[in-house]
Amino acid sequence: MMASGPERGALRLGIDLGSKTVKLAVLDEAGRLLHSSYERHLSNVQETLRYTISNAIPHFPDAEMTVAVSGSAGMQLAEILGLPFVQEVIAARAAVRRRIPEADVAIEIGGEDSKILFLSGSEELRMNNTCAGGTGGFIDTIAGMLDVNAEALNVLAHGCKKIYPIASRCAVFAQMDVRPLLNAGASKEDIAGSVFDAVATQCIVGLACGRPIVGRVALLGGPLHFLSALRDRFKAKLGLGDDDVVVPSDGHLFVAEGAALCGDGETTVTLGGLRDRLDDVSLRQGYSLERLDPLFASEEERAEFVQRHSRCTAPRSDLRSASGRVFLGIDSGSEAIKYVLIDEQGRILRSYYKRSAGDVVEAAREMLIDLWRSIPRKHDGTPTVRIAHATVTGYGEALLKRAFALDSGEVETVAHVRAAQELAFDVDFILDIGGQDIKCVWLRDGAISDLVLNEACSSGCGALISGMAWSMNVRMERFLEEAMRAEHPVDLGTRCTVFMTSRVRHAQKEGASVGEIAAGLAYSVVKNAVYKVIRVRDASMLGRRIVVQGGTFANDAVLRAFEKVYGADVCRPDIAAYMGAYGAALIARERAGEDGASTLLDQSRVRRLECVKARKRCEICGNACPLTVVEFADGDAVRRFIVGNRCERPLGEPSAKSLYPELFSSQVQRLFSYGSLSKSKARRGEIGLVRALGMYDLYPFWFTFFTSLGFRVEPSDLAVSSRTGRWLESIPSESLCHPAKLMHAHTADLVDRGVRTVFLPYIDAVHKGKRNCPIVAGYPLVLNTNMDCIAEEGVRLISPHLPALLDGSGADGRLAPLLADALDIPVGEVEQALGAAKRELLRYRVDIAALGDETLRYMGKSGKPAVLLAGRPYHCDPIVNHGIPELIRSFGFAVLTVDSVAHLDGRAARGDGALGGSWEYPEAIVAAARFAAAREDIEFVLLYSFGCGLDAAMVDEIGAIMRERGRTLTALKVDEMVDLAAVRIRIRSMIAARNGLFSGGARQ
């Protein structure tokens, strides 16, 4: 490796202590790599570093070398050992300059951080903050869901044929996208490829933030070094050829090499001496994170806890002695699949639990084989029991029902409530925490009185604990036992899981033990569930009889944390992890009838079941949904299951429900029903309108205004559904709401089509005295700053600052001069055009009001209920609402919009709420909530965006309005990716609450 007896300082040692790995590099005086090591530390940083140094000592037994430390876990170690520390971005830059000076941009991905270094032109270094989305840790988490490691995920990704949209800003959100794909039968190959695509998207959008990635691009860091499929996705996203990409053979070591190059030249060590110094210190010294009380103060306290929670037990009997009819309940959850088999008396005869491991159908096949094997037989070979009915619940309900010919399905909320009531008849509050969802149900007189589910984020669910155990390479059994014995649990806070993950890494750097972290996670799960989902501060608000259940509460550490934090005496059934399956079995017993016989496949048909997948596009309507058609053949029958559809029509369901009015599509059709002037009649040429954000309210106004002035209006294409290529780089922040991001795609569409004048005004408010969302109002400034194509293609972006459009019965008096100046058109012509625009906008709103009146008359005549699906005007965009209006209609509801009922008496927005009465669109939504809450034939469902503080306040105010009326609020956060399977569960839960609403009353 090297000549003996090097001169003092001739060798350079660099150590990179990352969030996932320990890297060591020894360079010679010329910067050549002599020795390297790359090891996963599995959260044991100090021991892994010692192992790495020990392995290097034989190569350099007595050599002195300069040294520097870098990496996310390196600062504390450097301080304790008295070694120089180099920030990792600086280290990476130094290595790139020395090793690949021809690179214009370097992208480096680590375990929980990512970086982009712009090296040409004005040098700029960008790094992610606390979010670990789009990094190696993110990849590890999703690989764990598929029961593979990162290397196997890479192999799978090379077989990818279809990219699914997956959120990459956070592994928690990504799990919410991946889980329904697995439950719907998507291939592991496609999911793996989609995960790598999501990582590339996150890195580009989250870090480029408007600066183009051009020239020679270096791909660095462990994930990009070892995962070729990930490199391919970056090349595809950025439109790079092989000659545009630099992949150095030691790219995974660049931060360590850079640290070696950046050493101060004064501090020298020998490897043996460094190992001895490491043995003499502890990373625990000087820890800064707060500590919590232990879960148990003594073994006696723990014994009392165990004894107390052994009382709530489900009735059981021996399957070997059973006869007659039995009933099967299956729960295909987010993390595992379970079944419970009961007899006529509701006694459990057999139960089963297994992780789905990324293949729901195969897991279900193994489950049913276990079931058939376990059923005893008589001397003649016939079974001693007969399955009379089989009911399935959970995320995989629809898929498994079709695959294995199960008799019925039920929404999991109802199944869990049914099980809780069976074991605790007087229950009035149920808290169920599963792998990726939280269900909070208040009951009164046996009926649902209020229902709260977690939103799209699964922060505070079991997946947090299992994912953390996976990342630390600790078996769950040991992880939880260590938590029970921990003396000083780490306070990890109650924020989003992503931020908690950063605190876990911080705790690891401070030497926290596995048990201290595990116990801290148990506390955080409970606090997140109650603070972020239930939103109560006093356990008395939960009810007198509390039942906790779900796989997460099978964990004694979480249960004890709940008791410690809230002082509540709770009941945890001994089948906490099986409650969904048990409830489904009880429902199956109720549905079986006297002579019921299940259609469930027998053992031979289960064994020979084959699954064939094909892809096609639905041609029933203009949405042209990309479908995955799954055919299940068992030798006797073929059954089809379709994934990807936004409505039920591809499934061959009855079309009567499609007759129910659905005003979202009707409103869009009316909104954009205008025909532009021909080129020969357009005396002033053409002008582009970006059909996103505010244009979903004001398009009739601006179309009429410009047409009256003699322009040919060119709207952007409504079919723009994704952000690809260079437009990704122009998005300034990943935290922007999805509708704002779509502005980039719509603007790019106009530029690509050759439109050279685009009108996009900065509007403070539509009506004088109101306020517009700052993002909606000011986005023209963002586009002009971040979209280089506007200047490169010579596009004139006209963005006048307009205080208000309407003032009372006419246009705002300041409007005409401002527009005349911006367009260089005589003010008299502008005033006439504004008059026509104002009249057309009023005509449009009258037409939408007529649609609302017509729908209400239909409801009165037919007795059918409606859902007022509320949101901002841009939620009418099918790309933004993801087909949720059509989905709601498929459940037998007419669908109203906020605009369709805005004219009705009593709807004027009051300024006495949390929003202050001046925010234009939120106040209209709040007023719509009051309207819906006053009518028993209308349910209220809200669409709102991630990252919007104003929307968060609006949700709280609407929730209070609903509770005052004894109603429930179903609030759906929508983003680029929406899990329609989860939306279905929430809508069905709303229906369940509706069915029990008037007998139970409201939560007090």
Side-chain angles (χ1 to χ4, degrees):
M1 294 289 279
M2 58 166 288
S4 61
E7 296 179 5
R8 176 184 175 91
L11 298 182
R12 302 175 180 182
L13 171 64
I15 299 172
D16 175 14
L17 299 183
S19 57
K20 294 282 186 179
T21 56
V22 171
K23 283 84 70 178
L24 182 146
V26 179
L27 310 182
D28 66 12
E29 194 171 17
R32 292 186 293 267
L33 182 65
L34 301 180
H35 175 81
S36 66
S37 178
Y38 182 99
E39 299 285 345
R40 282 181 175 256
H41 57 63
L42 303 175
S43 301
N44 197 337
V45 177
Q46 190 165 355
E47 185 176 314
T48 306
L49 178 58
R50 187 186 190 284
Y51 168 80
T52 300
I53 293 173
S54 297
N55 286 344
I57 287 175
H59 301 289
F60 313 94
D62 301 309
E64 287 198 6
M65 52 189 74
T66 61
V67 62
V69 180
S70 186
S72 59
M75 181 177 291
Q76 184 184 10
L77 181 72
E79 182 177 348
I80 292 173
L81 295 180
L83 302 177
F85 177 78
V86 181
Q87 208 282 334
E88 55 196 283
V89 175
I90 304 301
R93 179 183 61 179
V96 170
R97 287 296 190 197
R98 173 65 70 92
R99 295 276 285 104
I100 43 175
E102 70 274 18
D104 298 295
V105 181
I107 299 174
E108 199 257 359
I109 295 180
E112 287 189 355
D113 51 43
S114 55
K115 314 170 192 68
I116 294 184
L117 289 71
F118 294 96
L119 304 169
S120 298
S122 59
E123 188 172 286
E124 195 171 358
L125 312 176
R126 298 182 179 181
M127 183 175 177
N128 66 331
N129 296 316
T130 46
C131 179
T135 62
F138 171 88
I139 294 170
D140 285 344
T141 299
I142 306 303
M145 291 181 66
L146 301 181
D147 207 30
V148 299
N149 58 24
E151 290 72 20
L153 192 74
N154 184 60
V155 174
L156 288 170
H158 281 294
C160 173
K161 296 180 180 178
K162 175 180 174 59
I163 296 294
Y164 292 99
I166 293 175
S168 60
R169 65 181 179 278
C170 166
V172 178
F173 284 98
Q175 288 174 315
M176 295 296 290
D177 294 324
V178 171
R179 183 60 57 194
L181 291 174
L182 291 172
N183 288 332
S187 72
K188 287 188 177 182
E189 289 80 4
D190 287 348
I191 292 175
S194 301
V195 166
F196 288 148
D197 185 80
V199 170
T201 299
Q202 167 67 21
C203 186
I204 295 168
V205 173
L207 297 181
C209 296
R211 181 162 179 175
I213 299 174
V214 295
R216 295 268 284 173
V217 179
L219 301 180
L220 311 174
L224 284 169
H225 175 80
F226 294 108
L227 306 176
S228 55
L230 179 61
R231 297 197 297 269
D232 291 343
R233 294 316 307 166
F234 268 92
K235 290 162 65 175
K237 284 287 181 184
L238 296 172
L240 302 174
D242 291 339
D243 293 339
D244 302 318
V245 176
V246 182
V247 185
S249 60
D250 55 346
H252 57 309
L253 302 169
F254 261 40
V255 172
E257 293 182 32
L261 293 169
C262 293
D264 60 15
E266 298 296 327
T267 306
T268 60
V269 298
T270 64
L271 291 174
L274 183 59
R275 182 182 61 183
D276 293 341
R277 290 164 67 179
L278 189 63
D279 289 340
D280 292 336
V281 301
S282 170
L283 293 182
R284 283 178 172 269
Q285 64 189 66
Y287 63 68
S288 60
L289 290 176
E290 294 184 10
R291 301 296 171 126
L292 302 169
D293 292 336
L295 295 176
F296 296 100
S298 65
E299 285 299 322
E300 291 76 16
E301 190 174 75
R302 181 173 178 180
E304 185 277 332
F305 167 87
V306 172
Q307 192 275 332
R308 176 160 45 87
H309 285 289
S310 65
R311 298 170 189 163
C312 185
T313 59
R316 287 176 169 81
S317 186
D318 191 347
L319 178 58
R320 292 172 296 181
S321 61
S323 62
R325 301 194 314 165
V326 294
F327 311 92
L328 178 65
I330 298 172
D331 180 6
S332 177
S334 60
E335 294 265 299
I337 191 165
K338 291 85 72 175
Y339 80 65
V340 168
L341 189 70
I342 65 171
D343 62 12
E344 296 272 12
Q345 289 74 44
R347 297 175 298 189
I348 296 177
L349 302 173
R350 185 173 178 80
S351 61
Y352 176 98
Y353 183 102
K354 185 176 182 179
R355 285 192 70 242
S356 302
D359 192 333
V360 179
V361 173
E362 189 56 37
R365 186 204 303 270
E366 294 179 15
M367 174 192 70
L368 291 174
I369 289 174
D370 172 88
L371 170 67
W372 288 119
R373 282 176 176 170
S374 67
I375 293 178
R377 296 183 177 272
K378 302 175 184 177
H379 293 297
D380 62 1
T382 59
T384 59
V385 296
R386 173 172 60 87
I387 298 177
H389 197 93
T391 298
V392 60
T393 190
Y395 280 87
E397 173 195 337
L399 176 67
L400 297 188
K401 182 181 175 184
R402 193 65 59 98
F404 297 99
L406 298 167
D407 301 293
S408 65
E410 184 54 79
V411 62
E412 55 192 84
T413 316
V414 172
H416 283 274
V417 169
R418 181 67 186 85
Q421 290 178 320
E422 185 74 8
L423 300 182
F425 70 93
D426 58 344
V427 58
D428 49 20
F429 177 74
I430 301 167
L431 175 59
D432 181 280
I433 304 182
Q436 287 186 323
D437 52 28
I438 300 173
K439 293 174 281 291
C440 313
V441 185
W442 284 263
L443 301 170
R444 180 170 297 176
D445 299 330
I448 296 174
S449 65
D450 201 0
L451 173 69
V452 177
L453 290 84
N454 64 319
E455 295 160 342
C457 179
S458 60
S459 174
C461 297
L464 168 65
I465 296 178
S466 60
M468 195 60 64
W470 169 277
S471 71
M472 296 171 70
N473 199 34
V474 179
R475 291 181 61 85
M476 275 296 293
E477 293 81 3
R478 181 197 159 203
F479 199 66
L480 300 178
E481 181 58 30
E482 293 283 343
M484 303 288 276
R485 300 184 183 280
E487 295 183 0
H488 303 289
V490 181
D491 186 356
L492 300 174
T494 58
R495 302 177 68 190
C496 166
T497 300
V498 177
F499 294 101
M500 276 197 292
T501 300
S502 293
R503 290 177 71 88
V504 167
R505 300 307 174 209
H506 188 173
Q508 291 171 330
K509 297 170 195 175
E510 294 187 348
S513 69
V514 168
E516 290 167 342
I517 291 172
L521 286 170
Y523 275 112
S524 291
V525 163
V526 169
K527 291 178 181 178
N528 269 322
V530 178
Y531 291 155
K532 297 170 76 81
V533 180
I534 312 174
R535 296 186 180 184
V536 298
R537 297 188 178 276
D538 186 346
S540 65
M541 297 177 64
L542 301 181
R544 294 162 305 191
R545 179 71 157 154
I546 300 172
V547 172
V548 296
Q549 58 191 47
T552 302
F553 270 119
N555 173 341
D556 281 351
V558 174
L559 175 61
R560 181 59 177 169
F562 185 86
E563 291 184 340
K564 290 278 289 182
V565 171
Y566 298 101
D569 185 12
V570 303
C571 168
R572 180 191 64 181
D574 64 334
I575 57 168
Y578 297 86
M579 291 292 274
Y582 183 52
L586 294 169
I587 292 168
R589 184 182 63 174
E590 295 162 0
R591 292 175 176 174
E594 292 297 326
D595 301 316
S598 178
T599 59
L600 173 68
L601 302 186
D602 60 26
Q603 185 171 354
S604 62
R605 293 173 68 189
V606 168
R607 287 184 179 277
R608 64 176 182 258
L609 182 71
E610 294 183 353
C611 173
V612 179
K613 300 174 185 177
R615 294 185 177 89
K616 60 177 291 187
R617 281 202 174 268
C618 178
E619 298 178 355
I620 295 176
C621 74
N623 280 332
C625 296
L627 306 177
T628 299
V629 181
V630 186
E631 288 195 348
F632 298 104
D634 55 52
D636 295 337
V638 176
R639 296 170 300 282
R640 286 201 316 159
F641 182 74
I642 298 179
V643 185
N645 46 305
R646 292 182 174 182
C647 70
E648 307 303 310
R649 282 180 281 178
L651 301 176
E653 300 293 338
S655 60
K657 292 179 182 178
S658 65
L659 299 176
Y660 300 162
E662 190 274 282
L663 299 194
F664 270 66
S665 57
S666 300
Q667 188 163 323
V668 170
Q669 185 177 2
R670 171 62 182 85
L671 185 67
F672 301 121
S673 60
Y674 304 93
S676 298
L677 293 174
S678 65
K679 291 184 178 181
S680 61
K681 294 182 178 180
R683 58 190 176 90
R684 284 197 164 101
E686 66 179 7
I687 193 165
L689 294 182
V690 179
R691 285 199 283 190
L693 291 182
M695 280 297 170
Y696 271 85
D697 185 34
L698 300 175
Y699 187 81
F701 183 95
W702 291 118
F703 179 92
T704 303
F705 173 74
F706 284 110
T707 301
S708 299
L709 290 173
F711 287 94
R712 172 181 170 81
V713 174
E714 286 286 353
S716 58
D717 188 354
L718 282 179
V720 172
S721 60
S722 63
R723 306 179 316 281
T724 58
R726 55 182 178 146
W727 314 123
L728 281 171
E729 306 159 17
S730 68
I731 297 172
S733 171
E734 177 60 16
S735 62
L736 280 171
C737 64
H738 179 219
K741 294 174 184 176
L742 287 175
M743 290 286 286
H744 295 256
H746 279 275
T747 303
D749 172 65
L750 291 173
V751 174
D752 290 344
R753 283 164 42 198
V755 178
R756 291 298 172 258
T757 302
V758 176
F759 180 77
L760 192 59
Y762 185 140
I763 303 174
D764 289 340
V766 177
H767 296 90
K768 190 175 181 179
K770 296 291 184 179
R771 284 186 288 174
N772 204 349
C773 164
I775 296 295
V776 174
Y779 218 77
L781 304 178
V782 176
L783 295 176
N784 201 29
T785 301
N786 289 277
M787 295 196 71
D788 293 344
C789 63
I790 292 175
E792 291 171 356
E793 301 295 335
V795 175
R796 180 190 177 201
L797 185 63
I798 303 175
S799 300
H801 185 178
L802 308 176
L805 293 188
L806 305 178
D807 181 6
S809 60
D812 186 275
R814 296 165 292 177
L815 199 58
L818 291 171
L819 288 171
D821 182 63
L823 298 169
D824 195 20
I825 294 176
V827 70
E829 288 188 58
V830 170
E831 287 176 341
Q832 291 183 357
L834 284 173
K838 171 64 189 312
R839 291 190 293 272
E840 182 55 35
L841 182 61
L842 292 178
R843 187 178 299 113
Y844 160 74
R845 291 180 174 168
V846 167
D847 289 347
I848 300 305
L851 289 174
D853 291 340
E854 182 181 344
T855 301
L856 293 172
R857 287 193 295 270
Y858 164 83
M859 293 165 55
K861 292 179 181 178
S862 66
K864 300 296 183 184
V867 165
L868 202 170
L869 183 57
R872 297 173 184 265
Y874 51 66
H875 283 114
C876 284
D877 184 346
I879 295 169
V880 175
N881 66 47
H882 297 281
I884 291 174
E886 182 68 27
L887 175 65
I888 291 175
R889 178 165 68 167
S890 73
F891 285 103
F893 291 88
V895 181
L896 295 163
T897 66
V898 171
D899 289 346
S900 69
V901 297
H903 61 292
L904 299 177
D905 291 342
R907 287 279 285 99
R910 301 197 304 266
D912 55 357
L915 303 179
S918 61
W919 293 100
E920 193 145 28
Y921 297 115
E923 290 295 343
I925 295 170
V926 170
R930 293 193 180 98
F931 170 77
R935 295 186 55 136
E936 294 185 356
D937 59 345
I938 298 179
E939 292 295 323
F940 188 85
V941 177
L942 176 66
L943 300 178
Y944 68 114
S945 298
F946 287 91
C948 180
L950 188 58
D951 277 1
M954 177 181 68
V955 172
D956 286 344
E957 181 160 349
I958 292 173
I961 291 169
M962 291 293 153
R963 285 192 293 273
E964 289 173 3
R965 296 279 188 167
R967 310 296 293 275
T968 59
L969 168 63
T970 300
L972 305 175
K973 278 189 177 180
V974 292
D975 203 347
E976 291 97 323
M977 281 65 71
V978 169
D979 174 7
L980 287 182
V983 172
R984 282 187 174 94
I985 290 173
R986 293 174 68 83
I987 298 301
R988 292 171 66 191
S989 298
M990 177 202 73
I991 295 170
R994 175 180 175 81
N995 290 340
L997 184 63
F998 306 116
S999 60
R1003 178 175 106 216
Q1004 298 300 312

